[in-house]
Every structure is written in C-alpha cells, then in structure tokens.
Amino acid sequence: AAVKVPRSIDEVDNGKVLGFSSELSEDHPGFQDSAYKQRRMHICDLARAHRIGEPIPRIEYSADEVAVWGTVLQQLRGLLPQHACKEFLRCWQLFDFRADQVPQLEDLSQVLQAHTGFRIRPVAGLLHPRDFLNGLAFKTFHSTQYMRHVSRPDYTPEPDVVHEVIGHVPMLADPDFANLVQLIGIASLGADEKQIWHLTKLYWYSVEFGVVREGDDIKAFGAGILSSFGELRHMAAGGARLEPLDVFQPQPKMSYKDGYQQRYAVLDSFAAGAEQLKAYCATLHHTIPLDVRIAVGLQ
Ligand code: H2B
Ligand code: FE
C-alpha cells in the first residue's frame, strides 16, 4: 500500500505509542509502584486528549517529582559548561531553569516558536517512528510530560520530561540544529519502512547521541548525552569510539554497554550535517506532493 504523506501536523497521529505508556515492564523502576503508574496514566491521558492549537495542559508536579528534576538539574549543571556544545550553552540561557520548578511544556514551546518555529506536542510515550519523524518535518517535537521514578533520578528506560527538557529543548532553539532536525523529518515523508529505519538510526546517532567538533575538542549535542550525568562523564572520559557521521552509509546497530554508548557519530557542524541530509533527501525517490513541499519549506 502507498505510504500516506501528512499534509499538515494535524494529520500526524500522536496516538500510536509503543510499549511503556501505561503498563510498565517488570524491570522498570516504577513497576511495583501503583501510585506512580496511576500518575503516569493521568499525564498520558492528558497527552492523548491534547489537540493541536490548544495550550499544553500545565502539570502540577508533586514534591517527589520536583525533587527528581532538581537532583538531575544540579548534577548536570556541574558538567554541561565544560562538555556541552556552544549552541546548547547559548540556548540554555534562554530558559531560566530552576531546581525547585519543573518547566511547563507550554512555556518552552512558546520560546521555541519564537526562536526557530519549533513547537512541542505532548505524547504519552515512545511514539511510532514514522509519526515521530513526520512530526519533525512540520517542526513539531513530540514530548513526554511524565517524570521518571523517584527511586532512580539518574536513570529512565524511556524518554521522560527531564530528558526532553534538558536534552532536547535547548538544542531546538538553535536555528542550524533545528534545520538539521527538520531535514531528518522531511526525509521521512513518504519514506518506505527501510528508509524509516535508516532515519531512526540517523536520529539516534545525531539528535540523541551526536557529538560535534569544536577546535580540538569534542562536545555533546545529543540529548541522550546532555541529559545524563553518567553518559556525559562517559563521553568526557573518551569512553566511546568516534566516527564521522555519513548519512549515506548504513548506520551501525544501535547498542550500548553497561548503559552507555560504545560509539558516537561526529559532526563538523550542524550546517555540514544539514548539507548531508539535503543531499540525502535529493536521492530519495518517493515523491512528496507539492503542497506538502511548500508547507515544509522544501525547494
Ligand atoms: N517518541 C518520543 N516520544 N520520543 C522520542 O525521542 C522518540 C519517539 N524517538 N519515537 C523516535 C521514536 C526515534 O526512536 C526514531 C525517530 O524512531
Ligand atoms: Fe530523546
């Protein structure tokens, strides 16, 4: 069957969420905690009910939830200035993150819209890859809103609000990075399953675990590094091998050891990454309808 190409963000479904969302697996830190599961279910229901154009519901985070956020924020504050890329550090200043308050997605979305046109749309968990990638074409970042479990501030098996807010949001306020991310999304419009899988890996090795050269240094821009104390230290210690990102090559299997990456892909700059992605888009043979090309600003 032909792949359906959404004409606007309203045609991208945020309902196909894989695993996790309400039922947690046995090895999830919150598996035995029924109050936690109920809380997540409530926040996930709000995401499912959200409609494009409406403000994202504000969550009143509990004392436990705020404490988790604050703990991670304080830890990362010590490492980010030295190991995050310059774009991240510049954009970080746009957001006045405080340890005693979990930021609200609606407020962050407003800031992003003003700087790069990206908006946030709430989602109940890991979204279906095609829908997630298609959303990026329309400058929409699907973000979870629930908090990781209080027993493990340093760890979450799936995206949570801490990962999204610290790892993804500041980077999406940078125009060159936002452009690169949108291009990954544009490449996914009408893509076949094989291409979606390739783009999932490109997303993983860039947006989640990418590093960028700054002179003689290697700095983090991937959200999976920026939002994790352990992963940041792992990167800083040279714990993973570095290989240039080449979007035309088959990407290595996504894997990790002891929770950390064994390989990071390196970019020379976000503009250079975007050039590669533009060239890659041009090689894709599927056709994107003209109105959609115009909607996403594709020449
Ligand atoms: N869903 C959510 N909510 N966050 C992500 O970071 C995410 C996702 N990543 N769905 C996607 C899948 C990624 O694994 C690729 C693009 O498929
Ligand atoms: Fe992520």
Side-chain angles (χ1 to χ4, degrees), residues 89-109:
L89 295 173
R90 184 180 63 79
C91 294
W92 179 259
Q93 295 171 25
L94 302 171
F95 304 92
D96 241 333
F97 294 147
R98 294 166 36 172
D100 63 353
Q101 199 173 56
V102 183
Q104 295 291 335
L105 296 186
E106 176 60 25
D107 298 334
L108 304 175
S109 187

Side-chain angles (χ1 to χ4, degrees), residues 44-172:
C44 290
D45 286 345
L46 291 175
R48 282 198 196 86
H50 178 262
R51 295 291 164 263
I52 301 278
E54 290 172 5
I56 303 170
R58 288 174 187 275
I59 306 289
E60 212 176 296
Y61 289 99
S62 70
D64 268 359
E65 289 170 328
V66 175
V68 172
W69 157 261
T71 301
V72 181
L73 182 68
Q74 307 274 34
Q75 280 190 340
L76 292 174
R77 270 189 178 143
L79 285 178
L80 290 169
Q82 215 191 325
H83 302 298
C85 68
K86 58 184 191 301
E87 292 82 356
F88 177 89
L89 295 173
R90 184 180 63 79
C91 294
W92 179 259
Q93 295 171 25
L94 302 171
F95 304 92
D96 241 333
F97 294 147
R98 294 166 36 172
D100 63 353
Q101 199 173 56
V102 183
Q104 295 291 335
L105 296 186
E106 176 60 25
D107 298 334
L108 304 175
S109 187
Q110 298 285 345
V111 176
L112 291 183
Q113 283 178 67
H115 284 84
T116 59
F118 255 85
R119 95 187 95 190
I120 295 173
R121 184 188 197 191
V123 69
L126 254 194
L127 184 58
H128 187 281
R130 177 182 299 280
D131 298 330
F132 183 82
L133 290 165
N134 281 185
L136 300 175
F138 299 100
K139 292 194 171 188
T140 302
F141 187 80
H142 287 87
S143 169
T144 56
Q145 205 172 12
Y146 53 79
M147 186 66 67
R148 62 191 60 183
H149 194 255
V150 64
S151 66
R152 296 291 308 275
D154 58 328
Y155 168 79
T156 171
E158 75 251 277
D160 78 329
V161 68
V162 173
H163 167 78
E164 318 280 24
V165 170
I166 296 181
H168 289 291
V169 168
M171 288 306 306
L172 287 169

